[in-house]
Amino acid sequence: MVILLSGCVTVPTGFLKPQEGYLEKRSQQSRQYDTTNEKQILTSVAEVLQDLGFTLSESESELGLVSASKKADAKSGGQIAAAVMIDILGAIGGGSPGATMQCDKSQMVRASVITKPGLDGKKTVVRVTFQRIVWNMNNQISRVETINEPQIYQKFFDGLSKSIFLEAQQI
Amino acid sequence: MMKLKKYIIPAALIIVSAGIIGCETTANKAFVTQESQVQLRSIQTRAFDTTDKKKMMQNVISTMQDLDFVIDKADLTLGSVTGTKYLGQSTVAMTVTVRARGEKQLLVRANAQFGTESVADPGTYQDFFNALGKSMFLTAQEVD
């Protein structure tokens, strides 16, 4: 509380140290493809990101990087229903409604995709990482976080596999 | 009445100029560094016994990804990589540059910012260089 009032920010330490479980996270975020054609993979990556509604913000083909972002709705029926209940109960108790305004409203998802040659020199490794910024009903940033849900990464790679296959088939 | 005017104009001038000076000092705030320039440079820089710039940059990127950074920008020619990491309610922005040092080494420099604060803690950078060295199978050497 004192820190908040004085407006001082203390910089924590240890945030540039790999956390436990980073290797599992790495494998969740990576896939290997049986090709050495990195440019083709990168083109497919851009296609899939566009399929998912992302806008490309940066690319560097020499290093194999594409970064992109997307704005999306973040309203959740369950969260809003719970907040409305809290506000109703609060109003009965004489409080002012606030929980509903704290509900998630919108989000921006940021993605970066990196391709690099596999260790055996015959494959290409693709790694994607996602983050998101969430705004509440008051248009304040309510939280910022790394996205760790495995199914989101799986969905991206399913799309990528399909896209690489389609391009290999020249459709 | 005339006497009063004589005081009002200089007083107004003083207030306006104080306002202008005030603006100038906030811009200066962005250029204030806590550590000496030389000290900061040695905290943020390491030398590695390799000349493979591309491989070094790929390892910088994968180390940053292991640390939950999303890579915003990278440029092989300039040797720079910039990424953002979200930590609770705060944002960490980091730029890493890679350049040749003599004929046999590469110099890697990392600059991190936590929110609006520049990170000057030697241990924090050491953590990053340890992780980077491990991924390159090389030792990060301190430079003067």
Side-chain angles (χ1 to χ4, degrees):
Chain A
M1 195 63 191
V2 175
I3 294 169
L4 277 179
L5 285 178
S6 62
C8 280
V9 184
T10 12
V11 179
T13 54
F15 60 84
L16 293 185
K17 199 181 210 163
Q19 299 296 303
E20 232 173 89
Y22 77 94
L23 287 174
E24 286 108 88
K25 233 189 235 177
R26 190 195 283 176
S27 70
Q28 178 188 304
Q29 296 169 347
S30 311
R31 293 290 184 280
Q32 279 201 95
Y33 291 93
D34 275 324
T35 171
T36 51
N37 192 347
E38 255 189 89
K39 297 265 148 65
Q40 188 223 332
I41 298 269
L42 216 54
T43 314
S44 301
V45 163
E47 287 284 322
V48 175
L49 285 170
Q50 285 180 303
D51 288 344
L52 292 168
F54 279 80
T55 314
L56 305 190
S57 44
E58 185 79 16
S59 60
E60 156 66 302
S61 48
E62 286 293 310
L63 278 170
L65 162 76
V66 177
S67 57
S69 67
K70 177 191 181 170
K71 282 197 168 165
D73 188 277
K75 291 189 199 97
S76 144
Q79 192 190 30
I80 293 171
V84 168
M85 274 312 287
I86 291 170
D87 279 346
I88 290 171
L89 292 174
I92 293 167
S96 56
T100 325
M101 296 312 283
Q102 296 301 319
C103 283
D104 294 344
K105 181 188 174 195
S106 59
Q107 59 180 330
M108 186 170 84
V109 178
R110 287 155 35 82
S112 70
V113 186
I114 303 288
T115 61
K116 62 174 181 182
L119 288 176
D120 62 357
K122 290 177 192 154
K123 289 174 179 157
T124 301
V125 178
V126 181
R127 181 169 180 182
V128 60
T129 40
F130 292 110
Q131 291 173 337
R132 65 176 194 147
I133 308 172
V134 183
W135 284 271
N136 65 19
M137 298 290 183
N138 273 338
N139 286 324
Q140 296 160 325
I141 291 177
S142 62
R143 64 185 183 280
V144 291
E145 62 192 12
T146 302
I147 296 177
N148 288 319
E149 282 90 338
Q151 67 272 22
I152 290 179
Y153 290 90
Q154 190 55 49
K155 190 177 175 195
F156 172 81
F157 285 115
D158 286 348
L160 182 58
S161 303
K162 232 177 264 172
S163 165
I164 288 170
F165 175 74
L166 286 179
E167 277 183 23
Q169 301 290 313
Q170 295 277 330
I171 295 174
Chain B
M1 194 60 201
M2 279 304 281
K3 247 185 187 173
L4 201 63
K5 244 185 196 169
K6 218 163 80 182
Y7 292 113
I8 284 174
I9 294 168
L13 275 175
I14 288 168
I15 291 166
V16 168
S17 58
I20 292 167
I21 292 164
C23 290
E24 200 179 39
T25 50
T26 50
N28 283 343
K29 271 189 175 176
F31 296 91
V32 171
T33 47
Q34 300 296 324
E35 312 285 324
S36 84
Q37 203 175 343
V38 179
Q39 214 179 344
L40 196 66
R41 217 180 261 196
S42 84
I43 288 171
Q44 295 177 338
T45 311
R46 292 293 183 279
F48 292 85
D49 287 332
T50 173
T51 51
D52 194 339
K53 187 180 180 186
K54 189 170 176 183
K55 191 181 168 208
M56 177 59 84
M57 291 191 67
Q58 283 167 339
N59 278 280
V60 164
I61 289 171
S62 69
T63 304
M64 286 174 76
Q65 286 183 309
D66 285 343
L67 294 166
D68 285 344
F69 277 88
V70 157
I71 309 300
D72 303 312
K73 284 179 202 304
D75 188 315
L76 182 62
T77 317
L78 278 177
S80 67
V81 179
T82 301
T84 309
K85 167 182 173 138
Y86 292 143
L87 199 73
Q89 295 285 337
S90 308
T91 308
V92 181
M94 184 156 80
T95 295
V96 179
T97 52
V98 179
R99 61 192 172 92
R101 186 203 202 203
E103 305 249 295
K104 289 178 182 157
Q105 283 189 316
L106 286 176
L107 268 188
V108 180
R109 181 174 183 172
N111 264 78
Q113 220 184 0
F114 183 91
T116 55
E117 300 285 312
S118 292
V119 178
D121 172 47
T124 304
Y125 291 105
Q126 188 57 49
D127 287 341
F128 174 72
F129 289 117
N130 285 348
L132 179 61
K134 221 183 259 180
S135 78
M136 286 292 287
F137 301 107
L138 289 171
T139 318
Q141 302 158 25
E142 298 212 10
V143 286
D144 302 319

